[in-house]
Amino acid sequence: MNSSLIIECSHQLRKVHLTEIYHLFYIDGVITIELNNGEKLMCCIALKELEDKLSASFVRINRNTIINILFLVAYFKNTQKVTMENGRSFTVSRRNVPLLINRMREHYPMVK
């Protein structure tokens, strides 16, 4: 798996390291990619097309959002929400909860 992507955003081709991406979300035909330096990239591409090129540290948590598990701060079972290091929160769809928890287990030791 590659450690970077070349993405066409805002009339430019941009190299983005996967370890820089907090999350990607789709709203009104545009994908916003939020980076760990606070920058937001906007591009018009299918979320599925990007998802297929991402590493195992990324997980789709709902129809419109993919997060990088490396920047996950917390998953709240009672509200089915995640909080990211940059303060953003997203709702996890019920059908994607098992996938999120499995990815968390793959990346971090869990204590019950």
Side-chain angles (χ1 to χ4, degrees):
M1 181 63 67
N2 291 330
S3 61
S4 321
L5 294 173
I6 300 293
I7 301 173
E8 187 172 348
C9 296
S10 307
H11 307 292
Q12 65 177 320
L13 293 175
R14 172 85 182 261
K15 180 181 176 183
V16 178
H17 294 280
L18 296 179
T19 56
E20 297 176 324
I21 301 173
Y22 273 126
H23 44 75
L24 308 90
F25 57 94
Y26 174 86
I27 296 176
D28 297 330
V30 176
I31 293 176
T32 301
I33 302 169
E34 289 197 30
L35 304 179
N36 61 3
N37 65 2
E39 190 176 0
K40 293 180 182 181
L41 305 176
M42 312 287 253
C43 57
C44 296
I45 187 172
L47 195 58
K48 178 67 176 152
E49 189 175 334
L50 273 175
E51 182 180 24
D52 292 341
K53 293 173 178 25
L54 298 172
S55 66
S57 66
F58 289 85
V59 60
R60 185 182 283 242
I61 57 167
N62 63 43
R63 186 176 194 203
N64 298 321
T65 310
I66 299 172
I67 64 167
N68 186 339
I69 209 96
L70 302 177
F71 295 108
L72 177 71
V73 172
Y75 166 63
F76 299 93
K77 291 180 180 181
N78 58 339
T79 59
Q80 286 185 209
K81 291 194 180 281
V82 293
T83 300
M84 304 300 290
E85 284 183 11
N86 64 352
R88 295 275 307 203
S89 291
F90 299 102
T91 301
V92 181
S93 68
R94 265 184 257 144
R95 96 169 184 244
N96 289 344
V97 168
L99 179 59
L100 173 65
I101 291 172
N102 285 338
R103 287 286 169 83
M104 290 172 71
R105 285 187 176 126
E106 289 171 9
H107 284 83
Y108 303 106
M110 293 185 82
V111 179
K112 288 190 177 189

